[in-house]
Amino acid sequence: MASIIVITNAQPQHLRDAALHVAQSTSYTITPLAEWSFGATQGSLALSILFGAFVAYCDFKLHVSSPGDGTTYLTLERNTPWWTGVIGVNRVKRRADELVNAICSVLGSQGVSIFHRRDA
């Protein structure tokens, strides 16, 4: 699964709570997966199968982890709906970027440093 990784100096709980808040406020449906992970979905799988690239179906998994060196990682794993073709996959990728950008913007406004961001 394709992903985006963001490395910050935020406390793990703060990073998780900020990511949850941003996802909820941008109309994602939240599903708890574990203490430090949640799912964020938007759109309809059935409609994306019927209408292909015209409907973006986002099924993201967000994980917060802390390796113990004072940094905290947010990993967003995104789906790759191959049945929608290149256009549909790019729409989902753009939505993942937008969600991560919104999370980073909120964190930045709260004084959290974003050390690194990369696609994996």
Side-chain angles (χ1 to χ4, degrees), residues 4-59:
I4 301 171
I5 300 169
V6 177
I7 303 171
T8 74
N9 68 341
Q11 294 297 315
Q13 185 169 355
H14 181 76
L15 181 56
R16 181 193 62 198
D17 293 347
L20 274 167
H21 174 74
V22 170
Q24 287 174 327
S25 68
T26 53
S27 302
Y28 284 88
T29 300
I30 304 302
T31 306
L33 301 174
E35 183 177 359
W36 299 105
S37 301
F38 63 93
T41 57
Q42 190 178 66
S44 167
L45 176 60
L47 289 177
S48 76
I49 291 171
L50 289 173
F51 298 108
F54 297 106
V55 176
Y57 173 64
C58 302
D59 183 15

Side-chain angles (χ1 to χ4, degrees), residues 2 12 14 16 30 37 42 45 49-50 57-58 63 65 70 81 91-93 95 104 109-111 114 116:
H14 181 76
R16 181 193 62 198
I30 304 302
S37 301
Q42 190 178 66
L45 176 60
I49 291 171
L50 289 173
Y57 173 64
C58 302
H63 310 279
S65 60
R91 284 185 178 178
V92 170
K93 184 178 180 181
R95 295 257 179 100
C104 289
S109 71
Q110 296 172 344
I114 307 297
H116 187 66

Side-chain angles (χ1 to χ4, degrees), residues 48 51-58 78-95:
S48 76
F51 298 108
F54 297 106
V55 176
Y57 173 64
C58 302
R78 66 176 172 81
N79 59 317
T80 307
W82 55 268
W83 61 89
T84 62
V86 173
I87 294 170
V89 171
N90 285 337
R91 284 185 178 178
V92 170
K93 184 178 180 181
R94 187 174 59 247
R95 295 257 179 100

